Amino acid sequence: MPRRRGLLAPPVRGGEAVTLYVLSAGVLDPVGSAARTPVIVAFLIFIGVSLLWLFTLAAGEEESPEGLYLADRSLSPTFNGVAMAGEQISVLTLLQTAGGVALIGYDGFTFALDVLIALGVLLLLAQRIRNSGRYTLGDLFSLRASGRGPRIAAAVVTLAITIPVLMVQLVAAGISAALLIGMPTDEAVVACTLLMGCLVACFAALAGLRGTSFIHVAKVPITLATLTLVTLLALRKFEWDPGSLLSAAVDRSVAPDRYLKPGLWLDTAGLGPLNAFGNHIVAILGLAMMPHLILRIAGSRSGRTARRSTRTAVWLSGIFVLLLITTGFSAAAVVGAADLGAVDASGQSAPIQLASEVLGHGSTGRVVLITVMACVVFLAVLTTVTSVTFAAAVSLAHDVFARDGRSRSDTQEVRALRLAAVVVCGVAVSLAAALYNYQAQFLIAFSMAVAASCIFPALIYSFFWRGFNRRGLLWSVSGGLLLCAVFTVFSPTVSGSPIALWPEARFDWYPFQSPGLGAVPAAFFLGWLGSVTSPGDSETAFRRIEYRLLTGTEVRRQASDARR
């Protein structure tokens, strides 16, 4: 079995991969034996209190599908906006983004900005998504296409996005938990991954949008305050001089001469600029089109409040991204790339290691800071994985179970939601535990590409092109999904490069790291081709849909008001 190499490519220096894999058997222990017991006890108490609160919130959820899925669209714009910002504080962004900045410098910095730009893309579509009155991908796809086919396609796309995201985040959570208890071994990582997954599955089976919103809102100030404190303490070690901190980060990086320049991230096939451009574009579109974000947008009170919520999320996420970048540079300066890579080559342990080094060993403040950082990581795991699982379960219950041609009661649909949440989370946990030791770069690339190529073109055509129809939607979605799978299998993330799943094999005829660079334009083309080769909706039908997307009301309502 190949050694775990994390989620980031090893940087390249002088044409050779710099080996960061000193790894994996407790080489580094940032907590220390003296502090471990109080840290673990405090962490377990926090987990218990958090779960008790979450189960209390879940007990107050309404047992109707609309109440669970959308909180009856009763969340205020500010509250929902803060919760939307909390959706961005995932294990993936919190740990891997900070680790990426720490290890690959400039390239990690630019990828951190993708999170913020993605919300800007979502802001452009937020009002139309809410005004449509739809809240799952199946609902949105059926806006211009009738029948079960679009809903089945939407459920498949949702699972294709969700399962890889859950796997990556659960593995990251397992690595962090194993580091916290001082056992960063393979067996401990698997055990921690399984335990985290079981906790999340328990809550995902009971959660609704309202309950997850409250914990997201609580997570935002805790995370921002913790990252601010850690970076200020790191800056204090350099006499409050940001320039000295950045210089130390460069000096302690794996490639000081390239750390603040583009290209430390591994390029492939001599197509560096185009490859980097594709990675960024697909990441932005993919992050913007995540099903759990679409569900939260749909839960807004109106189209205007959806835009207000998204703007609030943009501002708060901007602060979060800035703090992630400073945390990454601080980790590189205080801990050093070699020690970061000694625990995990992706640098996912950067925030916890930084928290363990900014205060003196043996001090009470150090124990408290490590504990708080561990609690922030746990909140990120619990909330984000629950949100992603919940969105997938809603899609299965609403788009598949409730549309199977038989009459279903609300109680039966809610039961289907609970079961779907457990099954989705169980599958993700099992795969994460089985495949954690393999390179996971291709999972992220595939998930982002599916969201970008299967959802973004379909929504753009549905909202803005009168000629779009059922065949166009099915061709675009199914073609985009198929191409993402094919391009992923034959990309440098699976074979033929140091970042690959099988680096020794060579069947990487697709030259780009992101399958979306080819799949997104192909999905747009297939959507156009399918639409122009089949009869489309009438002009009147599109105008009726367009009016609904712009105003949030039906044309008939306006006509009846005029007669009065």
Side-chain angles (χ1 to χ4, degrees):
M1 181 176 291
R3 187 183 297 275
R4 182 177 68 248
R5 289 166 292 176
L7 309 178
L8 294 173
V12 170
R13 186 179 185 183
E16 296 182 355
V18 176
T19 303
L20 292 178
Y21 317 131
V22 253
L23 276 178
S24 172
V27 179
L28 211 61
D29 183 6
V31 177
S33 57
R36 179 163 294 108
T37 299
V39 167
I40 293 177
V41 170
F43 181 58
L44 292 175
I45 291 173
F46 178 80
I47 290 177
V49 172
S50 298
L51 290 176
L52 180 62
W53 182 37
L54 291 173
F55 286 131
T56 301
L57 293 172
E61 296 275 9
E62 295 187 29
E63 285 297 314
S64 66
E66 290 282 328
L68 284 172
Y69 302 163
L70 303 174
D72 288 325
R73 294 194 169 102
S74 61
L75 303 179
S76 69
T78 301
F79 183 87
N80 202 32
V82 177
M84 193 181 302
E87 301 274 14
Q88 308 307 310
I89 305 176
S90 65
V91 180
L92 197 61
T93 54
L94 179 63
L95 300 183
Q96 184 169 338
T97 302
V101 174
L103 293 183
I104 58 177
Y106 177 89
D107 287 341
F109 167 84
T110 58
F111 275 101
L113 296 179
D114 291 345
V115 176
L116 187 59
I117 301 173
L119 280 178
V121 173
L122 185 61
L123 178 62
L124 299 176
L125 299 177
Q127 186 165 349
R128 290 176 180 264
I129 291 173
R130 173 58 187 89
N131 283 344
S132 72
R134 315 298 176 94
Y135 52 88
T136 65
L137 288 186
D139 282 342
L140 289 169
F141 287 177
S142 65
L143 190 67
R144 304 292 297 276
S146 59
R148 294 191 66 211
R151 291 187 179 275
I152 297 296
V156 173
V157 166
T158 301
L159 291 177
I161 296 169
T162 299
I163 297 298
V165 169
L166 290 176
M167 289 174 61
V168 171
Q169 300 217 40
L170 288 170
V171 169
I175 292 172
S176 300
L179 178 67
L180 182 70
I181 64 176
M183 297 177 61
T185 61
D186 290 349
E187 294 78 9
V189 170
V190 172
C192 290
T193 300
L194 290 172
L195 289 173
M196 286 287 189
C198 290
L199 287 174
V200 171
C202 289
F203 181 61
L206 298 175
L209 187 67
R210 187 185 305 277
T212 56
S213 297
F214 275 102
I215 198 68
H216 275 303
V217 169
K219 176 178 66 175
V220 171
I222 294 173
T223 303
L224 297 184
T226 302
L227 293 179
T228 300
L229 177 61
V230 167
T231 53
L232 287 176
L233 290 173
L235 191 61
R236 188 183 67 168
K237 294 179 73 70
F238 296 91
E239 299 180 351
W240 307 102
D241 184 1
S244 297
L245 186 148
L246 187 59
S247 297
V250 172
D251 293 338
R252 303 192 69 182
S253 69
V254 294
D257 56 331
R258 301 179 60 192
Y259 187 70
L260 296 181
K261 299 177 182 178
L264 193 55
W265 180 272
L266 186 65
D267 294 332
T268 57
L271 297 172
L274 184 58
N275 184 65
F277 174 79
N279 287 339
H280 285 292
I281 292 298
V282 173
I284 290 168
L285 297 181
L287 288 170
M289 295 292 103
M290 284 291 162
H292 61 285
L293 289 181
I294 292 175
L295 184 65
R296 183 163 294 282
I297 287 289
S300 302
R301 293 175 178 175
S302 65
R304 289 186 177 181
T305 59
R307 287 182 60 86
R308 287 176 57 190
S309 296
T310 310
R311 284 197 296 267
T312 300
V314 169
W315 284 104
L316 288 173
S317 297
I319 298 172
F320 172 60
V321 168
L322 179 62
L323 289 172
L324 279 181
I325 293 170
T326 56
T327 299
F329 284 130
S330 298
V334 174
V335 182
D339 286 345
L340 291 172
V343 173
D344 185 77
S346 67
Q348 293 177 77
S349 62
I352 292 179
Q353 290 199 64
L354 177 61
S356 72
E357 295 295 331
V358 291
L359 293 174
H361 286 249
S363 66
T364 303
R366 177 176 180 269
V367 174
V368 172
L369 189 59
I370 295 173
T371 304
V372 172
M373 184 62 75
C375 293
V376 167
V377 173
F378 171 74
L379 279 178
V381 175
L382 183 65
T383 54
T384 307
V385 175
T386 297
S387 291
V388 173
T389 304
F390 180 70
V394 169
S395 178
L396 292 174
H398 181 71
D399 293 332
V400 179
F401 178 81
R403 309 282 174 172
D404 65 354
R406 289 180 286 179
S407 176
R408 301 289 190 180
S409 67
D410 287 354
T411 301
Q412 289 176 315
E413 187 172 340
V414 170
R415 287 176 182 170
L417 173 73
R418 311 293 194 198
L419 179 60
V422 173
V423 170
V424 169
C425 201
V427 170
V429 171
S430 300
L431 291 174
L435 303 177
Y436 83 100
N437 212 29
Y438 288 85
Q439 174 61 268
Q441 172 71 16
F442 76 100
L443 292 174
I444 298 298
F446 176 74
S447 181
M448 294 296 104
V450 170
S453 59
C454 296
I455 302 177
F456 185 71
L459 294 191
I460 292 296
Y461 278 147
S462 295
F463 292 164
F464 299 105
W465 184 31
R466 68 183 70 255
F468 194 51
N469 56 33
R470 189 176 190 274
R471 180 185 293 180
L473 183 134
L474 291 177
W475 282 22
S476 176
V477 173
S478 58
L481 181 60
L482 178 62
L483 288 173
C484 284
V486 172
F487 290 160
T488 298
V489 170
F490 296 103
S491 73
T493 61
V494 172
S495 70
S497 73
I499 66 169
L501 179 63
W502 294 299
E504 296 82 11
R506 292 300 306 230
F507 47 87
D508 53 322
W509 55 260
Y510 179 76
F512 306 112
Q513 289 175 331
S514 174
L517 189 57
V520 170
F524 272 107
F525 173 75
L526 290 171
W528 170 82
L529 182 64
S531 297
V532 298
T533 56
S534 66
D537 293 330
S538 66
E539 179 82 10
T540 302
F542 177 73
R543 288 190 175 185
R544 192 176 294 120
I545 293 171
E546 187 176 39
Y547 184 85
R548 174 64 188 262
L549 293 175
L550 292 174
T551 66
T553 59
E554 300 289 350
V555 175
R556 289 192 300 269
R557 182 177 300 175
Q558 185 192 43
S560 64
D561 291 344
R563 285 195 297 272
R564 292 178 185 174

